[in-house]
Amino acid sequence: MLRYILKRLLSLVISLAVASLVIFFVIEIAPGDPATFMLGINSQPDTIAALRAELGLDVPQWQRYLNWVGGLLTGDFGTSYTYRTPVAQMISERLWVSLPLAIYALTLSTLIAFPTGIYAASRRGKAGDTAVMGATQLGVAIPNFWFAMMLVLLFAINLRWFSAGGFVGWDKGLGAGLWSLTLPAISLALPQAAILSRVMRSALLDVLGEDFMRTARAKGLTRKQALWRHGLRNAMIPVLTIIGLQFSFLLAGAIIIEQVFYLPGLGRLVFQSINARDLIVVESVVMLLVFTVIMVNFAVDLAYALVDPRLRSRT
């Protein structure tokens, strides 16, 4: 198991190093100079040069990259060009919205997908299976931003059960904070639940056709008992893969939902920073999100080894 973990850690470090190079240089070569953008195109060249020196943009790109990576390793993400505040502080404030939202949405998605996927697999070819597959097909097809607007129209404008947007803050209490994130979480969760439910059903059906499941049935277990005792655990590897990918997507890809509900999350921060040419913020947030994706994948790899010990012996 230790050898398995060390190999995954080496892969993690290499992935982070390559990602940092790609993120920095792709963003840096994007057109538009931050200093010129801040001062306006009619500004004097010496004024622009002075601001570039103040922002640290007058040094070679390779030196800026090394300074940026060195700062990341020590927890110093730099200072925002536009807001003149530490980037780490800005990310921390926004992360307290995006991270709970992602966890909330993933929890809802899992709670919906597991029962429906198991139910559909246990009733293959019957009316219940057909109904679940039809509902999940609809869930996959509907864009989450359109679904979010329908939720706002119904529950915020017509029924007035929720606020149409914004975040009250955690200082108002855990319940109030979660309540204001409920509609965004549902908007994100239902399409993901549809995908996860279909994967769960497919994985379980594959497992139900294996020899060891037929052996379990031959020993006297009912189909339901065999499914719960032997089938579910063996079907978890593709399901864990999807859960890991979904968490990464929910954390990094919720920008549209954050725009719809005016949530002060990481997605809106990236969007605003791109518009303002605040490169240091964009680079740091994207690197943080990539780090999260890679760490989630690392955790999923470890979960694979726990669920299926055979994987440890193959590495």
Side-chain angles (χ1 to χ4, degrees), residues 28-34 36-37 277 279:
E28 287 290 329
I29 64 175
D33 177 58
T36 304
F37 183 87
R277 294 293 298 160
L279 302 184

Side-chain angles (χ1 to χ4, degrees), residues 73-307:
L73 294 175
T74 60
D76 180 11
F77 287 26
T79 302
S80 167
Y81 300 158
T82 304
Y83 300 101
R84 310 306 296 159
T85 57
V87 176
Q89 178 183 336
M90 298 174 64
I91 292 176
S92 176
E93 293 171 353
R94 304 301 183 99
L95 193 61
W96 279 105
V97 176
S98 293
L99 183 59
L101 176 60
I103 295 174
Y104 193 1
L106 185 65
T107 301
L108 291 177
S109 172
T110 304
L111 291 176
I112 295 170
F114 272 50
T116 54
I118 295 171
Y119 175 83
S122 64
R123 288 162 175 77
R124 181 181 185 181
K126 298 181 181 179
D129 181 27
T130 303
V132 170
M133 288 299 97
T136 56
Q137 184 64 45
L138 186 63
V140 171
I142 294 177
N144 59 5
F145 66 88
W146 179 86
F147 184 58
M149 291 187 287
M150 294 302 101
L151 290 178
V152 170
L153 182 63
L154 177 60
F155 292 105
I157 297 177
N158 292 337
L159 298 177
R160 300 184 183 276
W161 291 356
F162 297 90
S163 171
F167 180 65
V168 298
W170 297 112
D171 56 328
K172 300 293 184 181
L174 179 62
L178 290 177
W179 188 254
S180 63
L181 292 178
T182 297
L183 287 186
I186 294 174
S187 304
L188 291 168
L190 286 186
Q192 302 305 313
I195 297 171
L196 187 58
S197 179
R198 296 177 73 89
V199 172
M200 172 63 81
R201 174 187 178 273
S202 177
L204 278 174
L205 290 178
D206 289 341
V207 168
L208 289 174
E210 295 289 341
D211 291 339
F212 69 88
M213 292 297 290
R214 285 191 286 268
T215 301
R217 293 293 304 279
K219 289 182 177 180
L221 293 181
T222 64
R223 181 181 176 88
K224 185 175 182 180
Q225 289 174 331
L227 187 150
W228 283 99
R229 294 185 188 181
H230 304 286
L232 193 57
R233 177 169 178 170
N234 286 279
M236 286 303 294
I237 288 182
V239 175
L240 288 173
T241 301
I242 297 299
I243 289 176
L245 293 173
Q246 286 187 342
F247 178 76
S248 304
F249 166 78
L250 292 170
L251 184 61
I255 179 171
I256 298 177
I257 297 300
E258 289 181 3
Q259 289 292 108
V260 171
F261 289 98
Y262 299 99
L263 295 176
L266 288 176
R268 289 198 74 197
L269 177 61
V270 172
F271 181 78
Q272 293 165 350
S273 300
I274 291 173
N275 287 336
R277 294 293 298 160
D278 204 341
L279 302 184
I280 188 69
V281 176
V282 178
E283 291 163 357
S284 298
V285 173
V286 173
M287 190 63 207
L288 176 65
L289 295 175
V290 169
F291 173 77
T292 303
V293 170
I294 292 175
M295 287 302 298
V296 168
N297 289 337
F298 175 70
V300 170
D301 284 342
L302 295 184
Y304 286 169
L306 294 175
V307 171

